[in-house]
């Protein structure tokens, strides 16, 4: 898993709205009979689909940046926490396809092919194994060969159907007493989206053989079914049987993080470090949490620890530069950002560094340098909504109203879940006397971030204006 800690002073939030659906009797019956259907409205603190219902409430989007799905940036990029993951079909269609955003839906299964199997390249004469000609019943009766063949079909060929057929025949030959085959059948069901069937297989395997891997797979099923509380209970039961198991403690911390319960997540990450003090994910997440809690000096210690461990990449030096700047250690700030630019592997990473350099320039009062940095951000990544927003603010300071309005419109179209562009449009329109447009933009800002006090005050002022008219 690649570590990518984005310590950006930017705030992104997105509220997910579910339209009311008129269902006929047939649709209602279909929902009742569908075992994989989940409740449309979850109780507070029991769902990952409604990020605002976390027990801890989560930090404010004005203080800590938030991903598209509405959760705070975790400090460590994982498949389930990528900011580009679309939450609706419309969003998936509109999301730009880059390496760091959402993968097109049709190629999602291709990501399961592991790097370790790249050596099994197909021959010019034909495929390594022709699956269509295999007699699966014959191979299922040879346990050692069947397991190796299943691994090849499942991981290299990515043919879930044939893998499931082989696993079913093999577990039948083993008289349903081999837990390993039950786990493999559960993995196939999970890949096919049959989560309840996968749950039954994993539970049956756990009864025969208590394994950490099986607990982790079963927790993945519960998370896909949007049952984080059940997954938490499963992890805690696993810790009773496997005390101090790092992967289980880390799984609990991730779930709390996704439920916006940042304080509990930080406590469990500290427990991870008690068992394994070289765990990169835990160090990165705790450091990120300290940074956004106005403790950059402590965050700096965690990132220096990563540097001592041999982690040497663009993201780490980017974060070291930000921590040094906010901890007022200016001698190391620019050198860290220079090293980050040197280590940037693609244009998106370089854009992140230039964006943060722009914030440093704003902090020291050099607005011309800030303007150039934000321009360089857009050169590297033309879809960087936060840079458009900040450039608009600088244009407003220069008195260029039309340029600022165009930049803000671009920012709001690229990232409709951000509240800053809408709020800035509302302020700009209110200054030039366009009260109707100001009120519309302020309402969008309030939808994106209901707790923003300045937006609420602006709406109150506009309502008073309209009442006088």
């Amino acid at each position: 898993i690649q570590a990518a800690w984005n310590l950006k002073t930017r705030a992104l939030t997105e509220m997910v709205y579910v339209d009311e659906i008129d269902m006929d009797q047939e649709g209602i019956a279909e929902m009742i009979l569908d075992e994989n259907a989940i409740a449309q409205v979850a109780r507070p603190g029991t769902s990952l689909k409604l990020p605002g219902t976390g027990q801890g409430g989560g930090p404010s989007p004005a203080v800590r940046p938030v991903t598209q799905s509405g959760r705070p940036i975790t400090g460590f990029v994982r498949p389930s926490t990528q900011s580009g993951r679309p939450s609706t079909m419309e969003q998936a269609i509109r999301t730009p396809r880059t390496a760091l955003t959402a993968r097109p839906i049709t190629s999602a299964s291709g990501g399961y092919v592991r790097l370790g199997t790249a050596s099994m390249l197909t021959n010019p004469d034909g495929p390594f194994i022709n699956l269509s000609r295999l007699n699966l019943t014959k191979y299922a009766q040879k346990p050692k060969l069947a397991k190796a063949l299943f691994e090849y079909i499942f991981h290299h060929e990515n043919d879930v159907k044939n893998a499931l057929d082989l696993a079913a025949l093999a577990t039948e030959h083993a008289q349903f007493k081999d837990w390993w085959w039950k786990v493999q059948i559960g993995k196939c069901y999970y890949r096919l989206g049959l989560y309840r069937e996968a749950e039954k297989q994993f539970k049956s395997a756990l009864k025969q053989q208590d394994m950490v891997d099986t607990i982790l797979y079963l927790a993945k099923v519960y998370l896909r079914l949007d049952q984080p509380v059940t997954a938490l209970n499963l992890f805690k039961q696993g810790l009773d049987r496997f005390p101090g198991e790092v992967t289980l403690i880390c799984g609990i911390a991730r779930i709390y993080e996704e439920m916006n319960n940042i304080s509990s997540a930080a406590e469990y990450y500290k427990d991870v470090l008690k068992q394994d003090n070289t765990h990169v994910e835990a160090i990165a997440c705790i450091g990120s949490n300290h940074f956004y809690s106005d403790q950059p000096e402590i965050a700096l210690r965690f990132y220096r620890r990563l540097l001592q461990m041999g982690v040497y990449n663009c993201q780490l030096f980017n974060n070291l530069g930000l921590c040094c700047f906010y901890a007022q250690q200016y001698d190391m700030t620019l050198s860290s950002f220079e090293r980050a630019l040197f280590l940037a592997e693609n244009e998106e990473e370089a854009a992140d560094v230039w964006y943060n350099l722009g914030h440093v320039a704003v902090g020291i009062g050099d607005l011309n340098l800030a303007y150039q940095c934000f321009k360089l951000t857009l050169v590297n990544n033309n879809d960087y909504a936060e840079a458009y927003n900040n450039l608009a603010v600088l244009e407003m300071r220069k008195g260029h109203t039309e340029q600022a309005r165009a930049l803000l419109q671009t920012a709001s179209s690229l990232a409709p879940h951000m509240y800053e562009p809408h709020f800035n449009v509302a302020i700009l329109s209110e200054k030039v006397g366009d009260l109707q447009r100001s009120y519309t933009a302020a309402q969008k800002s309030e939808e994106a971030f209901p707790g923003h006090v300045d937006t609420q005050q602006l709406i109150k002022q506009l309502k008073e204006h309209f009442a006088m008219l």
Side-chain angles (χ1 to χ4, degrees):
I1 301 174
Q2 177 192 2
W5 309 276
N6 296 322
L7 287 181
K8 297 197 193 103
T9 48
R10 64 180 188 177
L12 314 175
T13 185
E14 179 183 37
M15 303 300 291
V16 179
Y17 293 95
V18 180
D19 294 328
E20 293 183 7
I21 303 172
D22 294 327
M23 263 189 220
D24 54 7
Q25 295 296 324
E26 185 181 347
I28 294 171
E30 188 179 346
M31 278 194 65
I32 293 171
L33 297 173
D34 186 6
E35 290 184 343
N36 293 317
I38 59 175
Q40 293 292 326
V41 181
R43 288 176 295 167
T46 62
S47 173
L48 298 176
K49 296 187 182 298
L50 297 174
T53 61
Q55 294 168 348
S60 163
V63 176
R64 183 168 185 167
V66 180
T67 63
Q68 276 189 358
S69 58
R71 299 186 184 92
I73 280 182
T74 58
F76 195 89
V77 168
R78 297 183 290 269
S80 61
T81 62
Q82 285 184 343
S83 59
R85 196 186 192 98
S87 56
T88 63
M89 182 60 71
E90 182 185 356
Q91 206 178 344
I93 293 169
R94 294 194 322 194
T95 304
R97 302 290 182 236
T98 66
L100 298 181
T101 58
R103 186 187 289 113
I105 296 167
T106 52
S107 70
S109 58
Y112 291 107
V113 178
R114 298 182 302 174
L115 294 175
T117 56
S119 59
M120 294 183 176
L121 296 174
T122 55
N123 299 322
D125 304 329
F128 181 64
I129 295 176
N130 194 338
L131 298 180
S132 61
R133 294 186 179 181
L134 286 181
N135 184 354
L136 296 179
T137 308
K138 182 179 77 171
Y139 289 106
Q141 295 171 2
K142 302 176 181 179
K144 293 180 181 177
L145 186 59
K147 290 183 178 181
L149 182 60
F150 175 86
E151 294 279 343
Y152 174 81
I153 297 173
F154 188 79
H155 291 294
H156 182 265
E157 293 296 328
N158 199 24
D159 189 342
V160 181
K161 182 181 178 297
N162 277 321
L164 180 59
D165 291 342
L166 176 61
L169 291 168
T171 192
E172 188 177 346
H173 179 262
Q175 298 178 349
F176 304 98
K177 293 179 181 178
D178 192 338
W179 65 271
W180 191 86
W181 282 113
K182 291 184 179 179
V183 172
Q184 307 316 310
I185 293 174
K187 286 160 66 175
C188 292
Y189 279 142
Y190 178 83
R191 189 80 69 83
L192 292 169
L194 302 170
Y195 303 122
R196 288 299 181 190
E197 284 78 1
E199 178 192 7
K200 292 172 186 173
Q201 295 293 332
F202 290 137
K203 281 185 173 180
S204 178
L206 276 174
K207 285 179 184 176
Q208 288 185 350
Q209 181 73 35
D210 219 1
M211 294 289 289
V212 175
D213 280 354
T214 314
I215 295 173
L216 293 172
Y217 277 119
L218 185 54
K220 280 181 69 175
V221 170
Y222 286 133
L223 289 176
R224 190 56 66 92
L225 288 170
D226 196 25
Q227 296 180 0
V229 177
T230 310
L232 282 174
N233 293 333
L234 177 68
F235 278 135
K236 289 173 181 175
Q237 290 167 12
L239 282 174
D240 293 336
R241 303 193 294 274
F242 301 97
E245 176 59 42
V246 170
T247 52
L248 299 180
I249 304 172
C250 191
I252 295 174
R254 290 176 181 176
I255 293 174
Y256 276 128
E257 210 166 39
E258 290 194 41
M259 292 171 70
N260 282 7
N261 197 342
I262 302 297
S263 56
S264 298
E267 291 300 320
Y268 277 98
Y269 278 128
K270 288 175 184 174
D271 290 342
V272 170
L273 292 183
K274 289 176 186 175
Q275 305 295 331
D276 177 11
N277 58 7
T278 61
H279 198 277
V280 175
E281 180 179 350
I283 296 172
C285 290
I286 294 173
S288 175
N289 192 40
H290 280 300
F291 180 86
Y292 291 118
S293 301
D294 286 333
Q295 297 172 324
E297 300 89 353
I298 301 175
L300 187 59
R301 289 170 54 191
F302 282 93
Y303 289 123
R304 283 180 58 195
R305 168 67 178 159
L306 287 175
L307 198 59
Q308 290 167 354
M309 283 166 46
V311 178
Y312 194 77
N313 57 22
C314 168
Q315 293 87 357
L316 179 56
F317 281 101
N318 177 38
N319 294 349
L320 282 169
L322 275 177
C323 289
C324 288
F325 176 70
Y326 285 106
Q328 298 181 3
Q329 299 183 15
Y330 301 122
D331 53 335
M332 288 293 294
T333 303
L334 290 179
S335 59
S336 296
F337 281 124
E338 283 177 6
R339 189 67 58 85
L341 281 173
F342 177 73
L343 292 171
E345 295 179 354
N346 51 52
E347 291 182 343
E348 283 81 3
E349 290 181 2
D352 287 343
V353 180
W354 281 118
Y355 178 81
N356 288 323
L357 275 168
H359 271 286
V360 171
V362 170
I364 62 177
D366 191 343
L367 298 185
N368 289 326
L369 176 61
Y371 190 86
Q372 292 297 324
C373 288
F374 292 135
K375 282 283 189 182
L376 284 167
T377 303
L378 296 178
V379 168
N380 286 284
N381 183 2
N382 200 34
D383 292 333
Y384 216 103
E386 296 83 5
Y388 281 111
N389 178 71
N390 292 359
L391 275 174
V393 173
L394 294 177
E395 293 284 6
M396 285 167 66
R397 289 178 65 92
K398 293 179 182 178
H400 301 159
T401 307
E402 289 305 316
Q403 289 94 320
R405 190 190 299 279
L407 289 167
L408 287 172
Q409 285 177 350
T410 305
S412 58
S413 63
L414 285 172
H417 49 275
M418 282 174 59
Y419 77 93
E420 289 101 329
H422 299 304
F423 177 72
N424 290 336
V425 167
I427 291 289
L428 185 62
S429 301
E430 197 259 346
K431 282 184 178 178
V432 299
D434 191 348
L435 301 185
Q436 184 59 46
R437 179 178 289 182
S438 175
Y439 183 70
T440 306
Q443 281 185 317
K444 291 180 181 177
S445 173
E446 189 181 31
E447 286 175 6
F449 182 17
H452 193 223
V453 178
D454 291 337
T455 301
Q456 294 171 355
Q457 290 178 350
L458 179 62
I459 290 176
K460 185 179 177 183
Q461 289 176 9
L462 290 171
K463 285 181 177 177
E464 289 176 357
H465 278 302
F466 293 144
M468 291 171 63
L469 293 173

